[in-house]
């Protein structure tokens, strides 16, 4: 009689209703895991594409390194205020030239708005230069450099390497909170460096240079990348070579450190990412809705749920309970 009941009834994959006639409470058959899907959302990455994407990180790292070089040469009196002002005008002209060459992304009205905003920005910066000059007169230079390096590291850590804090033409996405924090960190670092200079014109020139780079360099590189990815690669590799040459003239150890960091970011990190993909494992089962009567929950991961009654909604995890003093498990 029992064998006839076993053959006539069909086991159903349910999580409610108690024991099914003819089957044990913890019985499962071959269909229990047939709807389980593995690695459904795992993205397969190509190492060459990852390496090309990492070029944007190396590119901006070189931009920040060039800013540090200009700061160092200015503090050593190798660059005076006239050289800094010439550098500012050159960078500003080149930036607008790049925006104009990518003319499908920039209208004339938007260009004039940028020009007006920059004129207000330069005027306000010149007016605030005396305040920046005396901001850290009571702070030792070692402390200033330590805080500046820490702020630059924070800036690099939080920077948006695939966007721009200044919203690019045609871009519908607003800057993220972390990118704004990154920009503020770079601005404060620039103020600390500018406060070490003696003349008002030097303070104005170095602040203008720093803010031009930190504000508008991501916008220019973003427009270049959107216009032509091949041009973006050529510009990035040329910038890396130029940065390494300038750093080599400053100090050999800094050159070795920068070269090793660029190789690590562009080659080693993409290789690690691809190698780690083979260890990525995702399990996705069917979605389960069930109703449970009175049962006593077994503590799971330190949580004691006590006696429960009612509806337990969508289950997408492992639920373990004790029903009639027998352990049963439902795995989704």
């Amino acid at each position: 009689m029992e064998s006839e009941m076993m053959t006539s009834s069909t086991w159903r994959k349910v999580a409610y209703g108690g024991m099914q006639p003819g089957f044990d409470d913890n019985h499962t058959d071959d269909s229990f895991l047939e709807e389980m899907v593995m690695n459904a959302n795992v993205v397969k990455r190509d190492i060459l594409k990852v390496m090309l994407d990492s070029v944007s990180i190396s590119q901006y790292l070189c931009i920040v390194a060039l800013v540090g070089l200009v700061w160092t040469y200015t503090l050593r009196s190798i660059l005076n205020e006239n050289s800094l002002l010439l550098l500012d005008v050159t960078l500003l002209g080149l930036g607008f030239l790049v925006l104009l060459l990518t003319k499908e992304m920039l209208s004339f009205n938007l260009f004039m708005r940028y020009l007006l905003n920059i004129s207000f920005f330069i005027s306000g910066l010149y007016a605030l230069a005396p305040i920046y000059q005396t901001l850290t007169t009571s702070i030792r230079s070692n402390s200033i450099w330590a805080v500046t390096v820490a702020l630059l590291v924070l800036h690099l850590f939080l920077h948006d390497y695939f966007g721009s804090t200044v919203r690019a033409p045609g871009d519908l996405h607003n800057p993220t909170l972390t990118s704004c924090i990154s920009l503020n960190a770079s601005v404060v670092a620039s103020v600390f460096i500018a406060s070490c200079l003696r003349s008002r014109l030097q303070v104005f020139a170095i602040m203008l240079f720093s803010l031009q780079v930190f504000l508008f360099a991501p916008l220019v590189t973003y427009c270049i990348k959107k216009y032509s990815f091949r041009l973006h690669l050529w510009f990035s590799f040329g910038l890396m070579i130029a940065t390494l040459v300038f750093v080599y003239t400053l100090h050999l150890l800094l050159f070795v450190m920068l070269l090793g960091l660029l190789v690590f970011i562009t080659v080693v990190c993409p290789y690690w990412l691809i190698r780690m993909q083979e260890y990525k494992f995702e399990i996705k089962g069917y979605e389960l809705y069930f109703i449970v009567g009175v049962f006593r929950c077994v503590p799971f991961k330190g949580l004691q749920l006590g006696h429960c009654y009612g509806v337990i909604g969508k289950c997408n995890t492992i639920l373990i309970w004790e029903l009639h003093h027998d352990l049963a498990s439902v795995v989704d």
Side-chain angles (χ1 to χ4, degrees):
M1 185 67 179
E2 184 176 354
S3 62
E4 293 177 359
M5 185 179 298
M6 290 284 291
T7 56
S8 60
S9 60
T10 303
W11 180 81
R12 294 176 300 127
K13 183 165 52 176
V14 295
Y16 58 90
M19 294 179 59
Q20 300 182 38
F23 298 97
D24 295 331
D25 189 40
N26 59 349
H27 174 80
T28 58
D29 63 5
D30 296 336
S31 64
F32 183 67
L33 297 178
E34 65 182 4
E35 297 182 33
M36 183 177 66
V37 180
M38 294 183 294
N39 296 334
N41 300 318
V42 176
V43 179
K44 300 295 183 182
R45 292 182 172 87
D46 179 65
I47 187 170
L48 181 60
K49 185 179 184 305
V50 177
M51 291 176 65
L52 292 178
D53 289 339
S54 66
V55 170
S56 298
I57 303 176
S58 301
Q59 176 200 77
Y60 193 75
L61 179 64
C62 291
I63 291 175
V64 175
L66 289 175
V67 173
L69 285 174
V70 173
W71 287 352
T72 303
Y73 289 142
T74 303
L75 293 174
R76 292 182 177 182
S77 300
I78 299 176
L79 291 176
N80 55 20
E81 55 268 21
N82 295 326
S83 302
L84 287 173
L85 289 175
L86 180 60
L87 181 61
D88 293 339
V89 173
T90 303
L91 289 178
L92 192 62
L94 289 176
F96 274 113
L97 181 62
V98 170
L99 294 179
L100 288 175
L101 289 177
T102 57
K103 56 185 178 181
E104 70 274 6
M105 301 182 62
L106 183 68
S107 63
F108 179 76
N109 293 331
L110 186 60
F111 173 77
M112 293 303 297
R113 192 178 72 180
Y114 278 162
L115 193 61
L116 183 63
N117 290 337
I118 288 176
S119 63
F120 287 139
F121 171 76
I122 294 175
S123 301
L125 194 61
Y126 184 78
L128 293 173
I131 300 176
Y132 296 146
Q133 184 180 359
T134 59
L135 194 62
T136 60
T137 53
S138 61
I139 303 176
R140 297 179 59 183
S141 60
N142 293 336
S143 301
I144 293 175
W145 273 108
V147 174
T148 301
V149 171
L151 289 172
L152 287 181
V153 171
L154 179 65
H155 170 69
L156 290 172
F157 183 75
L158 298 179
H159 181 70
D160 183 9
Y161 292 96
F162 300 99
S164 173
T165 308
V166 179
R167 189 159 64 176
D171 189 10
L172 301 178
H173 300 286
N174 292 319
T176 61
L177 175 62
T178 54
S179 64
C180 293
I181 295 175
S182 172
L183 177 61
N184 288 331
S186 65
V187 171
V188 175
S190 304
V191 170
F192 272 107
I193 293 298
S195 63
C196 298
L197 299 175
R198 297 179 179 179
S199 68
R200 173 181 177 177
L201 194 57
Q202 269 191 325
V203 173
F204 166 73
I206 198 68
M207 283 296 299
L208 180 59
F209 165 77
S210 302
L211 295 183
Q212 273 187 156
V213 173
F214 290 127
L215 273 172
F216 301 113
L219 174 63
V220 171
T221 55
Y222 178 81
C223 292
I224 291 175
K225 186 176 180 180
K226 287 295 183 181
Y227 180 75
S228 173
F229 189 75
R230 180 174 295 182
L231 180 62
H232 161 72
L233 292 179
W234 280 108
F235 172 74
S236 300
F237 289 126
L239 186 65
M240 292 179 198
I241 294 173
T243 305
L244 289 172
V245 170
F246 284 123
V247 172
Y248 180 79
T249 59
L250 181 65
H251 201 283
L252 180 60
L253 180 60
L254 294 177
F255 168 79
V256 174
M257 292 175 60
L258 180 61
L259 180 61
L261 191 57
L262 292 177
V263 173
F264 179 76
I265 292 173
T266 312
V267 179
V268 178
C269 288
Y271 175 74
W272 276 357
L273 180 63
I274 299 300
R275 285 297 304 272
M276 286 189 296
Q277 271 202 316
E278 60 187 68
Y279 302 105
K280 192 171 183 179
F281 186 72
E282 179 194 50
I283 298 178
K284 183 178 181 181
Y286 62 93
E287 294 178 349
L288 188 62
Y289 292 85
F290 57 91
I291 300 176
V292 180
V294 178
F295 61 94
R296 183 160 60 88
C297 296
V298 174
F300 187 60
K301 290 186 178 179
L303 297 177
Q304 175 65 52
L305 301 180
H307 288 80
C308 306
Y309 177 81
V311 178
I312 298 181
K314 184 177 177 181
C315 177
N316 197 21
T317 182
I318 299 175
L319 179 64
I320 302 177
W321 72 83
E322 183 181 356
L323 181 61
H324 301 299
H325 306 288
D326 293 324
L327 288 175
S329 62
V330 175
V331 181
D332 183 11

